[in-house]
Amino acid sequence: MAEWVFKNNKHAGATTNTLPSAKCLYMSIRGTGGALAVAAIVTKNREKPEAFEKNFMVAILDECGLALEKEMTVREKQAVEERAHQETLRANLLRAISHDLRTPLTSISGNANILMEGRGQLCQEKLQALYTAIYDDSMWLIDLVENLLSITRIEDDKLGLKTQPELLEEIFQEALQHLDRNASQHQISVELEDDLLMANVDARLLVQVVINIVNNAIKYTPEGSHITLSAHREGDQVEVEIADDGPGIDQDAKDRIFDMFYTADKKRGDSRRGLGLGLSLCKSIINAHGGTIQAVDNHPQGTIFRFTLGAVEETNHE
């Protein structure tokens, strides 16, 4: 049941005999647990509401109370679910990092120990193999840290996009300079319909997207596979494709491949490369640019990662 009382309000002129200075009728909006809010009703006359008017207002406010209580319950449930989701992410991240970091760190320390103890007893070929293993593991750790930092900035809404017109050719060439060491075992090419094709992007983040996707193709396709980077304009957007002719991805995997911590190939012996952050980060970055990203089949075989970006308006030069 709603409660009411007259209180001061400079916007109205009504008063009551009980409180001569009162200007408004204030009625509480109540839920099952007590008062939730207060409704101020401006009165034009000094008379109190008649019984019918009072009951009508009470009925309306009771319905408002039920609706408000329902909305508050929904919001509380959403807040609990969001906290649970964040806790799950943190737990999964900690578990994944604890598991996946152990292998490269053990490898680095083990190989370093061999180098220290072996000294002049190791042949040049063995030394080169140890140096290469240490380098590969350390580079993987660096890539992981970069992805983790970017994921953290996205989760905290601190991504801080700094977009400006950028040439896609320059983005591609910059990314190709920072690929996995095994990139030389694949045939990587760039195909652009226009060398001056431009998009409004944060160059640093887009380079990271291209690196993650191309490195993903390098890791999951056989030696000698073709990887092609291409882009073309579609209306007010630029469509970018990174295609390979590897074994492809199952449909079930394509539906989940951009989920954090998900990896499509669970059977790889190189388990430390299965943390599942790279493509999730790519999706977050592309979405932050207002674009979309998807994985589709390449024909006759392989996979295409396709994403869209905002195109730069074309200008006519005389």
Side-chain angles (χ1 to χ4, degrees):
M1 178 67 69
E3 299 176 350
W4 57 90
V5 63
F6 280 101
K7 290 187 178 180
N8 291 329
N9 189 299
K10 64 181 180 180
H11 299 298
T15 61
T16 67
N17 294 328
T18 304
L19 297 171
S21 60
K23 307 295 184 179
C24 272
L25 174 64
Y26 286 79
M27 302 183 69
S28 64
I29 301 176
R30 304 181 67 84
T32 56
L36 302 175
V38 176
I41 303 173
V42 178
T43 58
K44 295 182 180 180
N45 302 307
R46 294 188 178 185
E47 296 88 3
K48 290 183 179 180
E50 296 181 358
F52 172 77
E53 294 174 330
K54 180 180 67 175
N55 292 334
F56 185 65
M57 286 188 290
V58 168
I60 292 176
L61 293 180
D62 284 347
E63 290 297 321
C64 291
L66 292 175
L68 183 57
E69 193 169 50
K70 181 178 180 181
E71 177 65 20
M72 293 173 65
T73 300
V74 170
R75 292 189 179 186
E76 289 174 359
K77 182 180 179 181
Q78 290 175 340
V80 171
E81 291 176 347
E82 179 63 24
R83 287 195 296 270
H85 176 66
Q86 293 297 330
E87 287 301 322
T88 299
L89 283 179
R90 279 191 284 269
N92 287 342
L93 183 59
L94 181 59
R95 182 167 54 252
I97 291 176
S98 299
H99 176 269
D100 284 19
L101 292 189
R102 186 179 296 112
T103 300
L105 289 175
T106 300
S107 175
I108 290 173
S109 60
N111 289 330
N113 184 62
I114 293 174
L115 289 172
M116 288 188 298
E117 293 184 352
R119 298 179 182 174
Q121 302 175 14
L122 300 174
C123 65
Q124 189 62 37
E125 183 178 353
K126 181 62 176 178
L127 288 172
Q128 185 61 42
L130 292 173
Y131 294 147
T132 300
I134 292 174
Y135 175 81
D136 287 345
D137 286 325
S138 62
M139 289 304 298
W140 183 83
L141 290 173
I142 290 173
D143 290 341
L144 172 62
V145 171
E146 287 297 323
N147 283 339
L148 286 174
L149 289 174
S150 295
I151 287 289
T152 301
R153 287 195 291 268
I154 290 172
E155 290 293 320
D156 294 339
D157 293 326
K158 296 179 180 178
L159 192 57
L161 288 182
K162 298 179 180 179
T163 61
Q164 63 181 27
E166 299 282 355
L167 287 169
L168 267 299
E169 182 181 24
E170 293 183 355
I171 296 291
F172 288 165
Q173 293 303 327
E174 176 66 20
L176 295 180
Q177 300 300 315
H178 300 86
L179 296 179
D180 187 279
R181 183 180 58 83
N182 294 322
S184 60
Q185 300 174 3
H186 296 70
Q187 300 183 43
I188 303 176
S189 60
V190 174
E191 298 178 359
L192 291 172
E193 67 174 15
D194 182 358
D195 292 340
L196 298 180
L197 184 62
M198 304 181 74
N200 284 306
V201 299
D202 184 314
R204 175 181 57 87
L205 292 176
L206 188 57
V207 166
Q208 188 171 4
V209 169
V210 176
I211 291 173
N212 282 347
I213 296 178
V214 176
N215 277 343
N216 194 70
I218 292 171
K219 295 170 187 175
Y220 293 101
T221 59
E223 182 177 342
S225 297
H226 296 77
I227 302 172
T228 304
L229 289 68
S230 62
H232 62 276
R233 188 181 181 112
E234 288 283 350
D236 60 353
Q237 293 185 322
V238 170
E239 189 172 274
V240 179
E241 292 186 349
I242 300 176
D244 66 65
D245 56 2
I249 303 174
D250 293 338
Q251 183 57 49
D252 291 343
K254 285 202 288 287
D255 294 337
R256 299 182 56 197
I257 200 168
F258 295 105
D259 294 345
M260 192 177 296
F261 307 119
Y262 178 78
T263 54
D265 191 348
K266 300 290 186 180
K267 300 179 181 179
R268 287 177 57 88
D270 191 6
S271 60
R272 73 179 185 275
R273 300 185 186 277
L275 195 54
L277 292 178
L279 293 180
S280 173
L281 175 61
C282 291
K283 180 178 180 180
S284 297
I285 292 175
I286 295 302
N287 288 347
H289 280 80
T292 60
I293 186 170
Q294 60 180 326
V296 299
D297 291 333
N298 193 12
H299 297 287
Q301 69 176 34
T303 303
I304 298 175
F305 284 89
R306 178 182 297 141
F307 58 87
T308 58
L309 302 165
V312 176
E313 293 186 5
E314 296 179 345
T315 57
N316 295 323
H317 300 281
E318 296 183 358

